[in-house]
Amino acid sequence: MKTVHINNVELPAVGIGTWNLGDDPNCHDDEVAAIRAGLNRGARVVDTAEMYGEGRSERIVRDAIKGYRRDQLFIIDKVLPTNAGHQRLSTSLEQSLHNVGTDYFDLYLLHWRGTIPLAETVDELEKMVTHGKIRAWGVSNFDVSDLKELWSLPKGHHCVANQDLYNLEERGIEYDLLPLMKKHHLPLIAYSPLAQGDQLSGKLTSDRLLQEIAANHQASVYQVMLAWTIKDSGILTIPKSSSVAHAIANWQAGELNFTPDERAALARRFPRPQKKQLLATI
Ligand SMILES: NC(=O)c1ccc[n+]([C@@H]2O[C@H](COP(=O)([O-])OP(=O)(O)OC[C@H]3O[C@@H](n4cnc5c(N)ncnc54)[C@H](OP(=O)(O)O)[C@@H]3O)[C@@H](O)[C@H]2O)c1
């Protein structure tokens, strides 16, 4: 399994996303079982947010991680931009910690930029580190200009990760953002790595090349899509699944290595961007 370092912690490059989990009470047991299927195989990262179902996804995480060693888990939570200032950040964080049933988060992200000045958010995040409520902080949906502004702040370089949309059909960040992050040793957390189960364009699952490469590896097209997001170093991928079978497949995709020919064919079929693109978000 490939690994990635975040805040000096070595983690398996396949983690677990949780958006939309918890929305249907009838799916509770399956969703808990899906998260545990990943954890039981060795996954350590669980990604959630106060926004997801207004705490419902955090509470699924709470139920799923019961009985697991806390120090083996790496839990990521996110604060909404409207809550990311002096007034509300600590209250939001306390609520999220309560929902997840833990004393601290390994990583706490600003979910996306809002109107609260970055300096105020950073100040508040730093306080939470000092209070032991979070081990580290990072950002999400940040582009090059956002990172440069962040790094111009006195403690801006304490940011340990940036979470952005990244999958086979959303490679825009490879033009300038990813090279900049690599230069600064800032890991990427790739969200929606399966293009939301191919719901974005609907073209990936029927793609001949992806089907061919999947057959070469006795894998599914989804596993190929997921493996592609972590083919380079410094990337953590966080697929979401509410099914045990999919969760296991996603973990196994971390072992899939492309041949040089497959890499080249994928690069021809899904070309790198040749110019700056607006940061894609969901
Ligand atoms: N920071 C941000 O702004 C942001 C934005 C979006 C997402 N995220 C994070 O990133 C995570 C992942 O992104 P996402 O949830 O948008 O989409 P995703 O992980 O790209 O795709 C999830 C979809 O793929 C399906 N799926 C998962 N594994 C599969 C497999 N092995 N075979 C076939 N289908 C499979 C799931 O269905 P089943 O449930 O039936 O398996 C679900 O419909 C989120 O859950 C969240 O934690 C962050």
Side-chain angles (χ1 to χ4, degrees), residues 16-21 47-48 52 78 111-112 140-141 163 190-199 220 222-223 238-243 245-247 249-250 282:
I16 299 169
T18 65
W19 193 14
N20 296 318
L21 297 188
D47 177 89
T48 188
Y52 300 162
K78 309 184 200 79
H111 208 148
W112 65 89
S140 177
N141 296 300
Q163 183 174 123
Y191 78 66
S192 306
L194 299 169
Q196 299 205 303
D198 199 20
Q199 293 300 303
S220 72
Y222 292 97
Q223 288 177 302
I238 48 166
K240 166 260 166 184
S241 178
S242 44
S243 124
H246 288 170
N250 292 343
I282 287 184

mmCIF file of all heavy atoms in Angstrom, residues 16-21 47-48 52 78 111-112 140-141 163 190-199 220 222-223 238-243 245-247 249-250 282, ligand 1:
data_model
loop_
_atom_site.group_PDB
_atom_site.id
_atom_site.type_symbol
_atom_site.label_atom_id
_atom_site.label_comp_id
_atom_site.label_asym_id
_atom_site.label_seq_id
_atom_site.Cartn_x
_atom_site.Cartn_y
_atom_site.Cartn_z
ATOM 1 N N ILE A 16 -10.994 7.221 3.865
ATOM 2 C CA ILE A 16 -12.449 6.973 3.790
ATOM 3 C C ILE A 16 -13.191 8.309 3.838
ATOM 4 O O ILE A 16 -13.062 9.061 4.812
ATOM 5 C CB ILE A 16 -12.878 6.082 4.982
ATOM 6 C CG1 ILE A 16 -12.160 4.721 4.922
ATOM 7 C CG2 ILE A 16 -14.405 5.906 5.008
ATOM 8 C CD1 ILE A 16 -12.323 3.881 6.185
ATOM 9 N N GLY A 17 -13.965 8.594 2.811
ATOM 10 C CA GLY A 17 -14.815 9.786 2.794
ATOM 11 C C GLY A 17 -16.182 9.468 3.389
ATOM 12 O O GLY A 17 -16.571 8.292 3.444
ATOM 13 N N THR A 18 -16.900 10.497 3.805
ATOM 14 C CA THR A 18 -18.185 10.209 4.481
ATOM 15 C C THR A 18 -19.331 11.152 4.095
ATOM 16 O O THR A 18 -20.364 11.162 4.765
ATOM 17 C CB THR A 18 -18.023 10.280 6.020
ATOM 18 O OG1 THR A 18 -17.699 11.629 6.388
ATOM 19 C CG2 THR A 18 -16.953 9.335 6.530
ATOM 20 N N TRP A 19 -19.143 11.923 3.038
ATOM 21 C CA TRP A 19 -20.228 12.836 2.648
ATOM 22 C C TRP A 19 -21.468 12.014 2.295
ATOM 23 O O TRP A 19 -21.354 10.998 1.608
ATOM 24 C CB TRP A 19 -19.775 13.673 1.446
ATOM 25 C CG TRP A 19 -20.645 14.846 1.137
ATOM 26 C CD1 TRP A 19 -21.592 15.396 1.928
ATOM 27 C CD2 TRP A 19 -20.637 15.612 -0.066
ATOM 28 N NE1 TRP A 19 -22.169 16.477 1.305
ATOM 29 C CE2 TRP A 19 -21.605 16.634 0.073
ATOM 30 C CE3 TRP A 19 -19.898 15.558 -1.261
ATOM 31 C CZ2 TRP A 19 -21.850 17.579 -0.927
ATOM 32 C CZ3 TRP A 19 -20.140 16.498 -2.251
ATOM 33 C CH2 TRP A 19 -21.119 17.490 -2.076
ATOM 34 N N ASN A 20 -22.603 12.457 2.742
ATOM 35 C CA ASN A 20 -23.908 11.796 2.519
ATOM 36 C C ASN A 20 -24.153 10.578 3.401
ATOM 37 O O ASN A 20 -25.265 10.043 3.416
ATOM 38 C CB ASN A 20 -24.126 11.371 1.048
ATOM 39 C CG ASN A 20 -24.164 12.579 0.130
ATOM 40 O OD1 ASN A 20 -24.780 13.584 0.469
ATOM 41 N ND2 ASN A 20 -23.489 12.505 -1.001
ATOM 42 N N LEU A 21 -23.139 10.119 4.134
ATOM 43 C CA LEU A 21 -23.410 9.031 5.074
ATOM 44 C C LEU A 21 -24.219 9.616 6.231
ATOM 45 O O LEU A 21 -24.007 10.748 6.644
ATOM 46 C CB LEU A 21 -22.115 8.409 5.602
ATOM 47 C CG LEU A 21 -21.199 7.725 4.585
ATOM 48 C CD1 LEU A 21 -20.063 6.996 5.295
ATOM 49 C CD2 LEU A 21 -21.966 6.754 3.697
ATOM 50 N N ASP A 47 -12.535 10.967 6.784
ATOM 51 C CA ASP A 47 -12.748 12.391 6.490
ATOM 52 C C ASP A 47 -14.221 12.737 6.656
ATOM 53 O O ASP A 47 -15.085 12.106 6.058
ATOM 54 C CB ASP A 47 -12.334 12.665 5.037
ATOM 55 C CG ASP A 47 -12.598 14.107 4.620
ATOM 56 O OD1 ASP A 47 -11.710 14.955 4.818
ATOM 57 O OD2 ASP A 47 -13.696 14.394 4.107
ATOM 58 N N THR A 48 -14.495 13.742 7.490
ATOM 59 C CA THR A 48 -15.886 14.168 7.652
ATOM 60 C C THR A 48 -15.926 15.694 7.752
ATOM 61 O O THR A 48 -14.915 16.367 7.533
ATOM 62 C CB THR A 48 -16.548 13.450 8.861
ATOM 63 O OG1 THR A 48 -17.941 13.755 8.868
ATOM 64 C CG2 THR A 48 -15.910 13.838 10.181
ATOM 65 N N TYR A 52 -21.637 17.985 6.578
ATOM 66 C CA TYR A 52 -22.239 16.767 6.029
ATOM 67 C C TYR A 52 -23.444 16.339 6.869
ATOM 68 O O TYR A 52 -23.302 15.809 7.972
ATOM 69 C CB TYR A 52 -21.215 15.627 5.948
ATOM 70 C CG TYR A 52 -20.005 15.934 5.078
ATOM 71 C CD1 TYR A 52 -18.843 15.191 5.187
ATOM 72 C CD2 TYR A 52 -20.033 16.965 4.147
ATOM 73 C CE1 TYR A 52 -17.734 15.468 4.390
ATOM 74 C CE2 TYR A 52 -18.924 17.253 3.346
ATOM 75 C CZ TYR A 52 -17.788 16.500 3.475
ATOM 76 O OH TYR A 52 -16.694 16.776 2.697
ATOM 77 N N LYS A 78 -13.977 19.307 9.228
ATOM 78 C CA LYS A 78 -13.880 20.604 8.530
ATOM 79 C C LYS A 78 -14.861 21.598 9.113
ATOM 80 O O LYS A 78 -16.000 21.243 9.439
ATOM 81 C CB LYS A 78 -14.203 20.440 7.039
ATOM 82 C CG LYS A 78 -13.445 19.341 6.344
ATOM 83 C CD LYS A 78 -13.730 19.305 4.860
ATOM 84 C CE LYS A 78 -13.379 17.945 4.287
ATOM 85 N NZ LYS A 78 -14.407 16.923 4.545
ATOM 86 N N HIS A 111 -13.159 24.505 5.303
ATOM 87 C CA HIS A 111 -13.816 23.751 4.219
ATOM 88 C C HIS A 111 -13.675 24.462 2.862
ATOM 89 O O HIS A 111 -13.459 23.832 1.846
ATOM 90 C CB HIS A 111 -15.292 23.537 4.568
ATOM 91 C CG HIS A 111 -15.886 22.311 3.960
ATOM 92 N ND1 HIS A 111 -16.870 21.570 4.555
ATOM 93 C CD2 HIS A 111 -15.662 21.685 2.784
ATOM 94 C CE1 HIS A 111 -17.200 20.560 3.777
ATOM 95 N NE2 HIS A 111 -16.490 20.611 2.696
ATOM 96 N N TRP A 112 -13.867 25.740 2.849
ATOM 97 C CA TRP A 112 -13.559 26.572 1.686
ATOM 98 C C TRP A 112 -13.476 28.013 2.172
ATOM 99 O O TRP A 112 -13.827 28.296 3.310
ATOM 100 C CB TRP A 112 -14.592 26.402 0.552
ATOM 101 C CG TRP A 112 -15.994 26.866 0.848
ATOM 102 C CD1 TRP A 112 -16.501 28.109 0.645
ATOM 103 C CD2 TRP A 112 -17.087 26.085 1.379
ATOM 104 N NE1 TRP A 112 -17.837 28.153 1.019
ATOM 105 C CE2 TRP A 112 -18.219 26.919 1.460
ATOM 106 C CE3 TRP A 112 -17.217 24.743 1.804
ATOM 107 C CZ2 TRP A 112 -19.457 26.483 1.956
ATOM 108 C CZ3 TRP A 112 -18.452 24.310 2.288
ATOM 109 C CH2 TRP A 112 -19.545 25.169 2.360
ATOM 110 N N SER A 140 -9.076 23.601 2.393
ATOM 111 C CA SER A 140 -9.742 22.837 1.343
ATOM 112 C C SER A 140 -10.254 23.806 0.289
ATOM 113 O O SER A 140 -10.617 24.943 0.607
ATOM 114 C CB SER A 140 -10.899 22.041 1.946
ATOM 115 O OG SER A 140 -11.592 21.343 0.934
ATOM 116 N N ASN A 141 -10.271 23.342 -0.951
ATOM 117 C CA ASN A 141 -10.713 24.169 -2.083
ATOM 118 C C ASN A 141 -9.873 25.436 -2.215
ATOM 119 O O ASN A 141 -10.383 26.497 -2.568
ATOM 120 C CB ASN A 141 -12.209 24.502 -1.950
ATOM 121 C CG ASN A 141 -13.071 23.251 -2.020
ATOM 122 O OD1 ASN A 141 -13.044 22.545 -3.020
ATOM 123 N ND2 ASN A 141 -13.795 22.953 -0.952
ATOM 124 N N GLN A 163 -7.134 20.091 0.598
ATOM 125 C CA GLN A 163 -8.059 19.084 0.049
ATOM 126 C C GLN A 163 -8.783 19.677 -1.148
ATOM 127 O O GLN A 163 -9.480 20.684 -1.017
ATOM 128 C CB GLN A 163 -9.063 18.660 1.138
ATOM 129 C CG GLN A 163 -9.996 17.566 0.673
ATOM 130 C CD GLN A 163 -10.911 17.006 1.748
ATOM 131 O OE1 GLN A 163 -12.127 17.020 1.625
ATOM 132 N NE2 GLN A 163 -10.328 16.509 2.824
ATOM 133 N N ALA A 190 -7.181 14.205 -2.124
ATOM 134 C CA ALA A 190 -8.000 14.210 -3.344
ATOM 135 C C ALA A 190 -9.441 13.849 -3.001
ATOM 136 O O ALA A 190 -9.715 12.728 -2.565
ATOM 137 C CB ALA A 190 -7.442 13.212 -4.343
ATOM 138 N N TYR A 191 -10.333 14.816 -3.191
ATOM 139 C CA TYR A 191 -11.751 14.488 -2.915
ATOM 140 C C TYR A 191 -12.502 14.142 -4.195
ATOM 141 O O TYR A 191 -12.047 14.456 -5.291
ATOM 142 C CB TYR A 191 -12.422 15.564 -2.076
ATOM 143 C CG TYR A 191 -12.886 16.869 -2.700
ATOM 144 C CD1 TYR A 191 -13.918 16.932 -3.640
ATOM 145 C CD2 TYR A 191 -12.346 18.078 -2.262
ATOM 146 C CE1 TYR A 191 -14.375 18.142 -4.147
ATOM 147 C CE2 TYR A 191 -12.787 19.299 -2.764
ATOM 148 C CZ TYR A 191 -13.808 19.323 -3.711
ATOM 149 O OH TYR A 191 -14.257 20.513 -4.206
ATOM 150 N N SER A 192 -13.618 13.449 -4.018
ATOM 151 C CA SER A 192 -14.404 12.911 -5.147
ATOM 152 C C SER A 192 -13.502 12.196 -6.155
ATOM 153 O O SER A 192 -13.570 12.451 -7.366
ATOM 154 C CB SER A 192 -15.234 14.009 -5.824
ATOM 155 O OG SER A 192 -16.037 14.682 -4.884
ATOM 156 N N PRO A 193 -12.650 11.282 -5.672
ATOM 157 C CA PRO A 193 -11.694 10.617 -6.568
ATOM 158 C C PRO A 193 -12.378 9.695 -7.574
ATOM 159 O O PRO A 193 -11.797 9.362 -8.599
ATOM 160 C CB PRO A 193 -10.810 9.811 -5.599
ATOM 161 C CG PRO A 193 -11.683 9.560 -4.411
ATOM 162 C CD PRO A 193 -12.540 10.784 -4.278
ATOM 163 N N LEU A 194 -13.615 9.288 -7.258
ATOM 164 C CA LEU A 194 -14.363 8.421 -8.181
ATOM 165 C C LEU A 194 -15.358 9.243 -8.996
ATOM 166 O O LEU A 194 -16.312 8.691 -9.547
ATOM 167 C CB LEU A 194 -15.112 7.336 -7.384
ATOM 168 C CG LEU A 194 -14.200 6.419 -6.571
ATOM 169 C CD1 LEU A 194 -15.011 5.558 -5.600
ATOM 170 C CD2 LEU A 194 -13.386 5.521 -7.501
ATOM 171 N N ALA A 195 -15.106 10.552 -9.070
ATOM 172 C CA ALA A 195 -16.019 11.450 -9.787
ATOM 173 C C ALA A 195 -17.460 11.188 -9.323
ATOM 174 O O ALA A 195 -18.376 11.124 -10.134
ATOM 175 C CB ALA A 195 -15.854 11.292 -11.295
ATOM 176 N N GLN A 196 -17.585 11.015 -8.017
ATOM 177 C CA GLN A 196 -18.874 10.736 -7.368
ATOM 178 C C GLN A 196 -19.562 9.520 -7.992
ATOM 179 O O GLN A 196 -20.747 9.564 -8.357
ATOM 180 C CB GLN A 196 -19.772 11.970 -7.403
ATOM 181 C CG GLN A 196 -19.134 13.149 -6.657
ATOM 182 C CD GLN A 196 -20.129 14.140 -6.130
ATOM 183 O OE1 GLN A 196 -20.904 14.682 -6.911
ATOM 184 N NE2 GLN A 196 -20.106 14.394 -4.831
ATOM 185 N N GLY A 197 -18.789 8.433 -8.109
ATOM 186 C CA GLY A 197 -19.379 7.216 -8.674
ATOM 187 C C GLY A 197 -19.731 7.434 -10.139
ATOM 188 O O GLY A 197 -20.737 6.911 -10.629
ATOM 189 N N ASP A 198 -18.862 8.212 -10.837
ATOM 190 C CA ASP A 198 -19.065 8.551 -12.256
ATOM 191 C C ASP A 198 -20.389 9.283 -12.481
ATOM 192 O O ASP A 198 -20.993 9.168 -13.541
ATOM 193 C CB ASP A 198 -18.993 7.292 -13.137
ATOM 194 C CG ASP A 198 -18.734 7.653 -14.606
ATOM 195 O OD1 ASP A 198 -18.243 8.764 -14.877
ATOM 196 O OD2 ASP A 198 -19.046 6.827 -15.465
ATOM 197 N N GLN A 199 -20.787 10.048 -11.506
ATOM 198 C CA GLN A 199 -22.021 10.842 -11.666
ATOM 199 C C GLN A 199 -21.730 12.217 -12.280
ATOM 200 O O GLN A 199 -22.648 12.948 -12.611
ATOM 201 C CB GLN A 199 -22.713 11.050 -10.306
ATOM 202 C CG GLN A 199 -23.264 9.796 -9.669
ATOM 203 C CD GLN A 199 -24.302 9.116 -10.542
ATOM 204 O OE1 GLN A 199 -25.311 9.712 -10.916
ATOM 205 N NE2 GLN A 199 -24.034 7.861 -10.900
ATOM 206 N N SER A 220 -11.938 -3.441 -11.087
ATOM 207 C CA SER A 220 -13.088 -2.728 -11.655
ATOM 208 C C SER A 220 -12.592 -1.372 -12.183
ATOM 209 O O SER A 220 -11.512 -0.898 -11.797
ATOM 210 C CB SER A 220 -14.162 -2.512 -10.594
ATOM 211 O OG SER A 220 -13.726 -1.528 -9.659
ATOM 212 N N TYR A 222 -13.743 1.382 -11.348
ATOM 213 C CA TYR A 222 -13.652 2.285 -10.180
ATOM 214 C C TYR A 222 -12.296 2.139 -9.497
ATOM 215 O O TYR A 222 -11.710 3.121 -9.028
ATOM 216 C CB TYR A 222 -14.780 1.987 -9.183
ATOM 217 C CG TYR A 222 -16.143 2.341 -9.715
ATOM 218 C CD1 TYR A 222 -16.959 1.373 -10.301
ATOM 219 C CD2 TYR A 222 -16.623 3.645 -9.641
ATOM 220 C CE1 TYR A 222 -18.208 1.705 -10.798
ATOM 221 C CE2 TYR A 222 -17.868 3.987 -10.136
ATOM 222 C CZ TYR A 222 -18.663 3.005 -10.716
ATOM 223 O OH TYR A 222 -19.887 3.342 -11.209
ATOM 224 N N GLN A 223 -11.813 0.907 -9.414
ATOM 225 C CA GLN A 223 -10.503 0.708 -8.774
ATOM 226 C C GLN A 223 -9.390 1.376 -9.593
ATOM 227 O O GLN A 223 -8.452 1.930 -9.031
ATOM 228 C CB GLN A 223 -10.212 -0.781 -8.583
ATOM 229 C CG GLN A 223 -11.068 -1.399 -7.490
ATOM 230 C CD GLN A 223 -10.826 -2.894 -7.362
ATOM 231 O OE1 GLN A 223 -11.009 -3.644 -8.318
ATOM 232 N NE2 GLN A 223 -10.401 -3.322 -6.185
ATOM 233 N N ILE A 238 -9.681 9.887 -0.804
ATOM 234 C CA ILE A 238 -10.704 9.604 0.216
ATOM 235 C C ILE A 238 -12.058 9.226 -0.418
ATOM 236 O O ILE A 238 -13.030 9.958 -0.312
ATOM 237 C CB ILE A 238 -10.873 10.795 1.193
ATOM 238 C CG1 ILE A 238 -11.004 12.141 0.435
ATOM 239 C CG2 ILE A 238 -9.723 10.850 2.185
ATOM 240 C CD1 ILE A 238 -11.516 13.281 1.328
ATOM 241 N N PRO A 239 -12.125 8.051 -1.062
ATOM 242 C CA PRO A 239 -13.404 7.621 -1.643
ATOM 243 C C PRO A 239 -14.457 7.410 -0.557
ATOM 244 O O PRO A 239 -14.127 6.967 0.546
ATOM 245 C CB PRO A 239 -13.049 6.286 -2.300
ATOM 246 C CG PRO A 239 -11.908 5.762 -1.471
ATOM 247 C CD PRO A 239 -11.110 6.972 -1.099
ATOM 248 N N LYS A 240 -15.683 7.711 -0.906
ATOM 249 C CA LYS A 240 -16.795 7.449 0.022
ATOM 250 C C LYS A 240 -17.527 6.202 -0.462
ATOM 251 O O LYS A 240 -17.768 6.027 -1.657
ATOM 252 C CB LYS A 240 -17.740 8.645 0.043
ATOM 253 C CG LYS A 240 -19.088 8.382 0.688
ATOM 254 C CD LYS A 240 -20.165 8.122 -0.369
ATOM 255 C CE LYS A 240 -21.410 7.526 0.215
ATOM 256 N NZ LYS A 240 -22.421 7.190 -0.814
ATOM 257 N N SER A 241 -17.879 5.345 0.477
ATOM 258 C CA SER A 241 -18.733 4.214 0.106
ATOM 259 C C SER A 241 -19.630 3.827 1.262
ATOM 260 O O SER A 241 -19.236 3.843 2.414
ATOM 261 C CB SER A 241 -17.888 3.011 -0.301
ATOM 262 O OG SER A 241 -18.774 1.961 -0.601
ATOM 263 N N SER A 242 -20.840 3.445 0.910
ATOM 264 C CA SER A 242 -21.765 2.959 1.928
ATOM 265 C C SER A 242 -21.931 1.451 1.804
ATOM 266 O O SER A 242 -22.843 0.877 2.393
ATOM 267 C CB SER A 242 -23.108 3.668 1.772
ATOM 268 O OG SER A 242 -23.471 3.718 0.421
ATOM 269 N N SER A 243 -21.036 0.820 1.038
ATOM 270 C CA SER A 243 -21.148 -0.629 0.837
ATOM 271 C C SER A 243 -19.850 -1.305 1.248
ATOM 272 O O SER A 243 -18.757 -0.833 0.915
ATOM 273 C CB SER A 243 -21.470 -0.901 -0.643
ATOM 274 O OG SER A 243 -20.529 -1.768 -1.230
ATOM 275 N N ALA A 245 -18.627 -4.120 0.196
ATOM 276 C CA ALA A 245 -17.891 -4.631 -0.970
ATOM 277 C C ALA A 245 -17.099 -3.503 -1.633
ATOM 278 O O ALA A 245 -15.928 -3.678 -1.998
ATOM 279 C CB ALA A 245 -18.859 -5.256 -1.970
ATOM 280 N N HIS A 246 -17.715 -2.340 -1.780
ATOM 281 C CA HIS A 246 -17.010 -1.216 -2.400
ATOM 282 C C HIS A 246 -15.865 -0.741 -1.512
ATOM 283 O O HIS A 246 -14.788 -0.387 -1.999
ATOM 284 C CB HIS A 246 -17.975 -0.043 -2.643
ATOM 285 C CG HIS A 246 -18.944 -0.295 -3.753
ATOM 286 N ND1 HIS A 246 -20.007 0.528 -4.014
ATOM 287 C CD2 HIS A 246 -19.000 -1.282 -4.685
ATOM 288 C CE1 HIS A 246 -20.680 0.057 -5.056
ATOM 289 N NE2 HIS A 246 -20.094 -1.038 -5.467
ATOM 290 N N ALA A 247 -16.101 -0.702 -0.202
ATOM 291 C CA ALA A 247 -15.050 -0.237 0.716
ATOM 292 C C ALA A 247 -13.824 -1.145 0.619
ATOM 293 O O ALA A 247 -12.684 -0.666 0.597
ATOM 294 C CB ALA A 247 -15.574 -0.190 2.146
ATOM 295 N N ALA A 249 -13.038 -3.022 -1.998
ATOM 296 C CA ALA A 249 -12.448 -2.802 -3.336
ATOM 297 C C ALA A 249 -11.604 -1.535 -3.336
ATOM 298 O O ALA A 249 -10.520 -1.496 -3.935
ATOM 299 C CB ALA A 249 -13.560 -2.703 -4.384
ATOM 300 N N ASN A 250 -12.086 -0.513 -2.655
ATOM 301 C CA ASN A 250 -11.346 0.748 -2.632
ATOM 302 C C ASN A 250 -10.004 0.584 -1.909
ATOM 303 O O ASN A 250 -8.975 1.096 -2.344
ATOM 304 C CB ASN A 250 -12.179 1.849 -1.979
ATOM 305 C CG ASN A 250 -13.366 2.220 -2.835
ATOM 306 O OD1 ASN A 250 -13.407 1.894 -4.031
ATOM 307 N ND2 ASN A 250 -14.353 2.889 -2.253
ATOM 308 N N ILE A 282 -16.818 21.063 -5.900
ATOM 309 C CA ILE A 282 -18.169 20.480 -5.868
ATOM 310 C C ILE A 282 -18.886 21.118 -4.695
ATOM 311 O O ILE A 282 -18.346 21.171 -3.602
ATOM 312 C CB ILE A 282 -18.117 18.959 -5.687
ATOM 313 C CG1 ILE A 282 -17.642 18.317 -6.988
ATOM 314 C CG2 ILE A 282 -19.480 18.419 -5.295
ATOM 315 C CD1 ILE A 282 -17.642 16.813 -6.973
HETATM 316 N N1 LIG B 1 -13.630 19.362 0.790
HETATM 317 C C1 LIG B 1 -14.657 19.342 -0.011
HETATM 318 O O1 LIG B 1 -15.171 20.385 -0.435
HETATM 319 C C2 LIG B 1 -15.221 18.003 -0.442
HETATM 320 C C3 LIG B 1 -16.146 17.943 -1.493
HETATM 321 C C4 LIG B 1 -16.618 16.697 -1.871
HETATM 322 C C5 LIG B 1 -16.203 15.553 -1.205
HETATM 323 N N2 LIG B 1 -15.347 15.627 -0.145
HETATM 324 C C6 LIG B 1 -14.886 14.426 0.589
HETATM 325 O O2 LIG B 1 -14.445 13.464 -0.359
HETATM 326 C C7 LIG B 1 -15.183 12.248 -0.174
HETATM 327 C C8 LIG B 1 -15.329 11.497 -1.479
HETATM 328 O O3 LIG B 1 -16.004 12.268 -2.459
HETATM 329 P P1 LIG B 1 -17.522 12.010 -2.885
HETATM 330 O O4 LIG B 1 -18.279 11.393 -1.772
HETATM 331 O O5 LIG B 1 -17.995 13.307 -3.429
HETATM 332 O O6 LIG B 1 -17.448 11.024 -4.137
HETATM 333 P P2 LIG B 1 -16.576 9.742 -4.568
HETATM 334 O O7 LIG B 1 -15.873 9.161 -3.431
HETATM 335 O O8 LIG B 1 -15.824 10.160 -5.774
HETATM 336 O O9 LIG B 1 -17.733 8.762 -5.066
HETATM 337 C C9 LIG B 1 -18.675 8.210 -4.183
HETATM 338 C C10 LIG B 1 -19.628 7.377 -5.018
HETATM 339 O O10 LIG B 1 -18.921 6.285 -5.612
HETATM 340 C C11 LIG B 1 -19.530 5.044 -5.271
HETATM 341 N N3 LIG B 1 -18.476 4.065 -5.029
HETATM 342 C C12 LIG B 1 -17.552 4.098 -4.028
HETATM 343 N N4 LIG B 1 -16.691 3.066 -4.157
HETATM 344 C C13 LIG B 1 -17.095 2.356 -5.225
HETATM 345 C C14 LIG B 1 -16.622 1.183 -5.842
HETATM 346 N N5 LIG B 1 -15.523 0.540 -5.396
HETATM 347 N N6 LIG B 1 -17.292 0.694 -6.924
HETATM 348 C C15 LIG B 1 -18.379 1.346 -7.391
HETATM 349 N N7 LIG B 1 -18.875 2.474 -6.860
HETATM 350 C C16 LIG B 1 -18.236 2.988 -5.774
HETATM 351 C C17 LIG B 1 -20.329 5.333 -4.019
HETATM 352 O O11 LIG B 1 -21.435 4.474 -3.954
HETATM 353 P P3 LIG B 1 -21.667 3.478 -2.687
HETATM 354 O O12 LIG B 1 -21.878 4.385 -1.506
HETATM 355 O O13 LIG B 1 -22.859 2.690 -3.103
HETATM 356 O O14 LIG B 1 -20.424 2.659 -2.563
HETATM 357 C C18 LIG B 1 -20.764 6.780 -4.226
HETATM 358 O O15 LIG B 1 -21.911 6.840 -5.044
HETATM 359 C C19 LIG B 1 -16.497 12.740 0.422
HETATM 360 O O16 LIG B 1 -17.249 11.690 0.970
HETATM 361 C C20 LIG B 1 -15.994 13.767 1.413
HETATM 362 O O17 LIG B 1 -15.472 13.114 2.558
HETATM 363 C C21 LIG B 1 -14.826 16.852 0.222
#
